[in-house]
């Protein structure tokens, strides 16, 4: 089992959700986050004054999937989130040791 965590631009969220659904992913968790990477934020003009925006708004998507659809889900997410511009984000993939569905007590693949 894999936990796929992606940090993407907010306007790409619906595309990413649709792509993951088409890849067979049944559930996702989405969090609004702020941060920066290599681009280190940007400057904006407001009422004639220039100021630096250090933390950019992003969306964090977390998906737990079985190993057999992990590669397909990663590729779908990558295609959906890409704009080919700086700040597209990152995808992190980590292994999951155990999953337990609280309501039923099901474990591992059955709990996904």
């Amino acid at each position: 089992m894999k936990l796929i965590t992606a940090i993407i631009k907010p306007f790409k969220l619906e595309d990413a959700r649709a792509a993951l659904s088409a890849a067979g992913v049944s559930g996702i968790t989405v969090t609004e986050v702020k941060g920066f990477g290599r681009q280190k934020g940007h400057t904006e003009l407001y009422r004639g004054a220039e100021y630096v925006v250090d933390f950019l708004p992003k969306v964090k998507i977390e998906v737990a999937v079985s190993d057999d659809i992990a590669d397909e889900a990663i590729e779908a997410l990558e295609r959906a989130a890409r704009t080919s511009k700086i700040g597209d984000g990152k995808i992190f993939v980590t292994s999951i040791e155990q999953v337990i569905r609280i309501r039923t007590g099901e474990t591992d693949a059955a709990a996904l």
Side-chain angles (χ1 to χ4, degrees), residues 7 13 15 21 25 27-28 31 38 45-46 50 54 65 67 71 77 79 83 91 95-96 98 111-112:
I7 310 294
L13 175 59
D15 294 342
S21 181
V25 175
I28 68 172
T31 310
R38 289 184 183 166
L45 202 60
Y46 179 72
E50 190 174 284
D54 289 330
V65 297
D67 289 330
D71 289 337
L77 189 52
R79 278 192 310 272
T83 66
I91 299 174
S95 293
I96 297 176
Q98 186 178 22
L112 292 178

Side-chain angles (χ1 to χ4, degrees), residues 36-42 52-56 86:
F36 67 88
R38 289 184 183 166
Q39 65 192 107
K40 305 274 192 288
H42 65 277
V52 177
V53 178
D54 289 330
F55 295 100
L56 302 173
I86 193 164

Side-chain angles (χ1 to χ4, degrees), residues 40-98:
K40 305 274 192 288
H42 65 277
T43 59
E44 287 188 3
L45 202 60
Y46 179 72
R47 293 189 177 181
E50 190 174 284
Y51 65 100
V52 177
V53 178
D54 289 330
F55 295 100
L56 302 173
K58 300 286 182 178
V59 173
K60 180 165 108 174
I61 299 173
E62 294 173 296
V63 203
V65 297
S66 58
D67 289 330
D68 57 330
I69 67 165
D71 289 337
E72 185 179 349
I74 293 164
E75 290 168 11
L77 189 52
E78 186 178 359
R79 278 192 310 272
R82 180 178 289 134
T83 66
S84 298
K85 293 186 172 50
I86 193 164
D88 273 354
K90 299 264 191 310
I91 299 174
F92 305 97
V93 182
T94 53
S95 293
I96 297 176
E97 290 185 30
Q98 186 178 22

